[in-house]
Amino acid sequence: MKKLWCKLLIMVCCVVGLMGVSYVPAQAAVVNHTLNYFHYNTYKDGDGRNWVRIEMGMNKGNLEYEVSQNPDKPFQLVVKLNNTNRGDVKKNIGLDRKIARYMTLKNDHRDMVATIAVTDNLEDHEYKVYTAEVDKKNRKPYRLVIEIAADKGSVNKAVGDERLDGVEGHTVVIDPGHGGTDTGAIGPSRVKEKNITLKISQDVARILQLNGANVVMTRDTDVDVYGPNATDKQELQARVNVARRHPDADIFVSIHCNAFTKSSAHGTSTYYYGHSSRDSMLSQLIQNEMVAATGLYDRGIHSANFYVLRNSWIPATLVETAFISNPYEENMLASADVQHAMALAICKGISNYFRRVGR
Ligand SMILES: [Zn+2]
């Protein structure tokens, strides 16, 4: 019995001794920071990119901090502030909601962990964390600053001609006419309508996305939307249904090439059904830009009983870009430059539409 007590005593001494060695010197170096200020705002940088800036002020400088991201939680940014306590700052703080939803502050032993929930996958170039010295003029203490950029940042941002206002946040359904077993019209040099409409549509989608719009394509490859050899009604209803599956879709834009038995027929026209005045407004705004961009003959806008227009629940338009049956216009339609000019014109028309109708 005596022997056992002795052994235990030695063990306790050893443990205490080890603890003493490892803990005491570290404690002496501790400098406690206490939060005493919180502020956030949003701003636009020189590239037109939106940021949210979060500032956490504290009683003293020389803060040590660590930034981390858990790959399994790409919608979170975690910043650990060493030797810091929350002070009077709230545990849960709502943020701008567009870029960052909220921030939580949790004590973890001596440290404080700030977790920021963001609205989109956060890449390395989309945030900055740094400290800022006391700003006497603006009455701000020493701060840790966290800045987070909106998605679709400067890396993929539209510049020059392709920069459009008003489309950001809107959802546009793009319907490239025909596809798969349905070639659409075929020009005198065998250019197929289905290939031209897809190229223009893909460019329209790219430009809209660069400007922050959501794009839904009824098809994005050379396929039938319903399935091969469907009836016209099945195929067209399948295209309408794509829009119906997206309740936030704002407009439906179908892109085609015109054709006529007489090869002399030429020019651009745009069609609408006329559920509301928005159908014709959208058509006219696209038609204006198309004619201005290509110099093609302006055949105007017309109401038409087209299936995809009549059955659309949202403002809808169908653009007949040019006559593929006309040798001159077929040649134009096959040119990548003309396809791009047409795509940009359609996007400008869409931009003008959203600027006019607003949210
Ligand atoms: Zn067509």
Side-chain angles (χ1 to χ4, degrees):
M1 200 64 177
K2 238 185 182 175
K3 253 187 174 172
L4 184 65
W5 272 112
C6 203
K7 270 186 186 167
L8 274 172
L9 194 66
I10 291 166
M11 273 172 69
V12 169
C13 290
C14 286
V15 170
V16 170
L18 283 171
M19 280 170 67
V21 170
S22 59
Y23 272 94
V24 174
Q27 238 166 1
V30 165
V31 180
N32 273 319
H33 291 85
T34 302
L35 297 193
N36 56 13
Y37 174 90
F38 175 86
H39 178 78
Y40 86 87
N41 65 299
T42 55
Y43 72 96
K44 212 182 256 289
D45 69 13
D47 295 330
R49 189 180 201 183
N50 289 313
W51 292 77
V52 61
R53 181 198 283 125
I54 299 162
E55 297 174 81
M56 285 185 276
M58 56 203 74
N59 58 331
K60 29 183 131 163
N62 298 316
L63 175 78
E64 287 179 11
Y65 61 91
E66 288 162 37
V67 184
S68 61
Q69 260 199 293
N70 178 344
D72 294 334
K73 294 181 178 172
F75 289 70
Q76 278 189 1
L77 181 69
V78 179
V79 183
K80 183 164 77 92
L81 290 74
N82 293 349
N83 297 309
T84 301
N85 67 67
R86 192 161 50 80
D88 294 332
V89 175
K90 283 195 294 181
K91 251 187 207 168
N92 297 298
I93 300 165
L95 298 171
D96 72 304
R97 293 187 179 276
K98 275 191 177 165
I99 302 170
R101 292 185 210 283
Y102 58 86
M103 180 170 81
T104 58
L105 301 177
K106 259 191 205 151
N107 285 316
D108 178 18
H109 300 98
R110 293 180 177 283
D111 308 324
M112 193 189 71
V113 177
T115 304
I116 298 150
V118 295
T119 55
D120 220 317
N121 252 349
L122 208 52
E123 314 267 346
D124 278 352
H125 61 272
E126 292 179 323
Y127 64 83
K128 309 174 197 171
V129 183
Y130 55 91
T131 54
E133 294 304 321
V134 178
D135 176 354
K136 279 191 181 148
K137 196 175 146 207
N138 293 303
R139 295 183 168 198
K140 291 182 176 189
Y142 174 85
R143 284 148 292 149
L144 179 72
V145 184
I146 302 170
E147 296 192 18
I148 299 170
D151 207 44
K152 304 190 179 72
S154 50
V155 182
N156 291 317
K157 197 142 185 94
V159 288
D161 271 6
E162 296 187 346
R163 199 150 170 172
L164 304 171
D165 289 331
V167 302
E168 190 176 342
H170 285 290
T171 300
V172 179
V173 181
I174 303 294
D175 176 40
H178 315 278
T181 57
D182 171 14
T183 58
I186 299 178
S189 308
R190 312 302 298 163
V191 174
K192 291 176 183 153
E193 179 182 358
K194 67 171 184 178
N195 297 332
I196 305 300
T197 59
L198 182 59
K199 289 229 174 91
I200 296 171
S201 297
Q202 284 170 331
D203 205 21
V204 168
R206 181 187 62 83
I207 297 166
L208 290 176
Q209 282 165 343
L210 283 180
N211 286 283
N214 307 307
V215 174
V216 177
M217 303 276 281
T218 57
R219 68 177 179 100
D220 198 13
T221 53
D222 184 17
V223 291
D224 300 86
V225 175
Y226 181 89
N229 305 308
T231 65
D232 281 357
K233 191 182 167 188
Q234 283 171 327
E235 178 60 24
L236 296 171
Q237 184 61 44
R239 291 167 190 256
V240 169
N241 288 346
V242 171
R244 291 188 183 175
R245 281 199 296 272
H246 290 85
D248 52 347
D250 293 293
I251 56 170
F252 182 94
V253 180
S254 192
I255 297 172
H256 286 254
C257 308
N258 218 336
F260 194 60
T261 46
K262 277 188 188 158
S263 65
S264 57
H266 63 287
T268 301
S269 47
T270 305
Y271 296 86
Y272 60 95
Y273 181 77
H275 288 292
S276 83
S277 60
R278 290 191 173 192
D279 290 324
S280 52
M281 187 203 297
L282 174 60
S283 300
Q284 186 66 66
L285 292 169
I286 290 177
Q287 175 73 10
N288 293 348
E289 295 297 332
M290 280 291 286
V291 170
T294 61
L296 288 170
Y297 175 62
D298 183 359
R299 300 178 71 92
I301 66 165
H302 304 276
S303 68
N305 190 16
F306 293 154
Y307 192 95
V308 290
L309 301 179
R310 186 176 72 245
N311 291 290
S312 179
W313 289 347
I314 50 178
T317 186
L318 188 148
V319 189
E320 293 284 9
T321 50
F323 276 78
I324 203 166
S325 50
N326 176 307
Y328 173 75
E329 293 192 359
E330 178 196 31
N331 203 24
M332 279 182 77
L333 285 166
S335 141
D337 286 347
V338 174
Q339 289 165 6
H340 176 66
M342 287 179 168
L344 190 56
I346 291 168
C347 291
K348 284 183 181 169
I350 291 171
S351 156
N352 292 343
Y353 170 81
F354 284 127
R355 286 190 346 199
R356 204 170 283 192
V357 302
R359 282 270 137 198

